[in-house]
Amino acid sequence: MIRVGFVVNDGGDGWIGGANYMRNLLAALLKFSTMQPVVITGGALPEYITKELNNVEKISSKIVDPNGNINLIRKVIYRLSGRDVMMERLLTRHDVDVLSHFSPLGKNSIRPSIGWIADFQHIRLPNFFSEEERNWRDKSIARSADASTAVIVSSEDAKRDFLAFRPSVAKKIRVLRFVSDVGGFEQGGEPMEYLLRRYGIDGPYLHVPNQFWAHKNHAVIIDALGVARSRGRNITVVATGNMKDRRNPRHIEMLIQRSREAGCIENFKMLGIVPYADLAALMKYSVGVINPSYFEGWSTTVEEAKSLGKTVILSDIPVHREQAPEHATYFDPDSPADLYDRMLHVLDTYSPDLDRERMKKAKLELPGRLKAFARSFEEIVLELVKTEPS
């Protein structure tokens, strides 16, 4: 059996999308792969592993620091040899064949390593980054691309960005479109009436489960709610997600002020991070899901909505078109009026019976989609180790 190592730590960087990505990949491999995923950690593990995926094999090592970074000694050896010798020894000791989704083992490594690049947002939306961070990202991506055996991206859209950024590594690029396992969405959670009382939600609502980062474009929702108010319509949007944007600490304050000025502070309910079971229930019970983002590598929000069979209202960006949810409508992310029209249509045509039928169909299709996701990753690994699963 081929064993694939993943370095995972509870780094606490606030990037929920990254944690969800790893949760989904590991869950799919455990259920549907002939390969054995092995979690390598140097510190505390995130809750999704300790609770949801506790049966995954784990290796604890001091050579991995609590944030998953390469320590100084390893860096020196790496620069002298062109190999992460200490990590190679750890992998050899535990019979791990491939290291994936982590810093590369190096051009001269005796084992293959697979890098992962979430997106090229700093190139597509440079105004959301400082010059220092853009330069750091350029160097980090170039280093990973050059020193990995293969590099995974999550969409053809990201692949196009990658090819423009570093055409010399074209042969290394692999597209792996992840699928969200919402099996946990069927477990736990509160009854609808209790949940709505808990969060002060009155009547039908739309759900936007995105982190409150500037490029996620919550502002267009607020402005669309302002349009609704001016036209005598009462629309409720429930927003969940991390409310801290390290690149723009005042962002949430600006959203609150914008809501006040638009007269829709009661209509745009910013709940922040909620328990996973509540997040699941909020999405299930919603009329539809919104992702107004200016940019995505491959949207977790969209994938979760697809796996549930929910209607989605999406910004008209290339990756959302590539994700191609069955029940989707698209809007200009710079047009509050366009978004208002889409929200109104979804609310006015909503059928609880049709929604339940779509969710039932999506539930039946989900295992096949997750299996295809796991097998796609398998194909990438098999190509590198040049062997067949036992």
Side-chain angles (χ1 to χ4, degrees):
M1 179 181 290
I2 296 172
R3 292 162 57 81
V4 185
F6 300 87
V7 175
V8 180
N9 285 288
D10 187 9
D13 62 1
W15 184 30
I16 297 174
N20 284 338
Y21 178 99
M22 191 55 65
R23 173 198 284 121
N24 289 315
L25 178 56
L26 291 173
L29 293 177
L30 286 170
K31 288 181 181 178
F32 300 107
S33 176
T34 60
M35 297 180 178
Q36 175 67 51
V38 180
V39 167
I40 303 167
T41 182
L45 285 167
E47 189 174 276
Y48 70 83
I49 287 183
T50 58
K51 289 188 176 181
E52 299 171 39
L53 306 175
N54 192 45
N55 58 327
V56 70
E57 184 178 342
K58 305 170 192 71
I59 298 170
S60 181
S61 173
K62 292 181 180 179
I63 74 165
V64 181
D65 80 10
N67 292 316
N69 299 318
I70 296 178
N71 63 32
L72 181 59
I73 296 175
R74 285 171 65 196
K75 283 182 180 178
V76 171
I77 296 174
Y78 187 99
R79 287 170 183 167
L80 291 174
S81 65
R83 296 165 52 190
D84 188 348
V85 176
M86 295 178 71
M87 178 58 80
E88 285 182 350
R89 289 174 179 169
L90 178 70
L91 299 178
T92 300
R93 190 158 61 247
H94 293 277
D95 297 318
V96 176
D97 302 285
V98 180
L99 183 67
S100 190
H101 290 66
F102 186 59
S103 298
L105 293 173
K107 293 180 179 179
N108 300 326
S109 176
I110 59 173
R111 291 182 184 274
S113 56
I114 304 171
W116 173 53
I117 297 172
D119 59 54
F120 290 82
Q121 184 193 152
H122 73 292
I123 293 175
R124 296 270 286 272
L125 298 177
N127 53 305
F128 288 108
F129 298 82
S130 67
E131 182 178 0
E132 180 182 8
E133 187 166 10
R134 291 197 302 272
N135 290 337
W136 178 84
R137 285 194 172 213
D138 280 347
K139 292 177 182 177
S140 177
I141 292 173
R143 184 169 57 248
S144 179
D146 292 344
S148 296
T149 316
V151 186
I152 284 174
V153 292
S154 297
S155 64
E156 291 292 338
D157 189 51
K159 181 179 179 179
R160 286 190 291 270
D161 287 340
F162 203 168
L163 289 170
F165 173 77
R166 205 153 186 88
S168 61
V169 298
K171 292 182 179 180
K172 294 185 179 183
I173 304 172
R174 305 290 184 273
V175 176
L176 178 69
R177 299 181 179 90
F178 71 83
V179 175
S180 288
D181 183 356
V182 293
F185 279 34
E186 301 298 324
Q187 304 164 10
E190 302 290 355
M192 181 176 180
E193 293 77 13
Y194 182 83
L195 186 81
L196 300 189
R197 284 200 304 272
R198 172 185 291 179
Y199 292 110
I201 302 169
D202 184 18
Y205 64 93
L206 297 161
H207 184 202
V208 51
N210 276 0
Q211 301 192 126
F212 287 80
W213 292 354
H215 77 279
K216 295 294 187 180
N217 195 26
H218 290 83
V220 74
I221 297 177
I222 294 171
D223 293 346
L225 293 174
V227 173
R229 181 179 174 83
S230 71
R231 298 182 184 179
R233 293 299 301 251
N234 187 39
I235 297 176
T236 299
V237 174
V238 175
T240 56
N242 188 349
M243 298 179 78
K244 294 181 180 179
D245 185 346
R246 62 179 177 79
R247 293 176 296 189
N248 189 351
R250 294 188 63 249
H251 181 61
I252 193 67
E253 179 185 328
M254 291 187 291
L255 290 178
I256 294 171
Q257 182 60 32
R258 195 174 191 132
S259 298
R260 289 198 183 100
E261 292 173 356
C264 60
I265 192 73
E266 296 299 322
N267 300 86
F268 187 59
K269 296 186 177 296
M270 293 181 280
L271 304 184
I273 297 175
V274 300
Y276 182 72
D278 286 2
L279 171 67
L282 285 167
M283 187 178 287
K284 277 202 304 183
Y285 298 142
S286 71
V287 171
V289 176
I290 307 174
N291 189 347
S293 182
Y294 281 120
F295 182 84
E296 299 284 342
W298 189 258
S299 171
T300 302
T301 294
V302 174
E303 282 305 309
E304 288 173 347
K306 283 172 65 175
S307 294
L308 278 176
K310 300 297 292 187
T311 296
V312 284
I313 305 172
L314 303 177
S315 53
D316 198 352
I317 58 176
V319 75
H320 280 166
R321 292 284 185 174
E322 185 180 338
Q323 287 189 264
E326 185 176 354
H327 312 297
T329 183
Y330 300 88
F331 72 96
D332 178 351
D334 290 314
S335 175
D338 191 9
L339 175 56
Y340 164 73
D341 289 340
R342 310 293 173 174
M343 292 194 299
L344 194 64
H345 175 74
V346 168
L347 286 162
D348 286 349
T349 60
Y350 176 68
S351 164
D353 290 339
L354 180 59
D355 193 35
R356 282 191 289 270
E357 285 301 312
R358 288 174 173 177
M359 291 182 71
K360 184 187 296 185
K361 178 174 179 283
K363 183 178 180 181
L364 292 173
E365 292 174 348
L366 182 58
R369 296 177 61 234
L370 289 168
K371 184 176 182 179
F373 172 39
R375 293 297 170 85
S376 293
F377 180 75
E378 270 193 2
E379 289 174 6
I380 294 170
V381 174
L382 288 171
E383 180 187 358
L384 300 184
V385 297
K386 294 181 172 57
T387 187
E388 295 294 329
S390 58

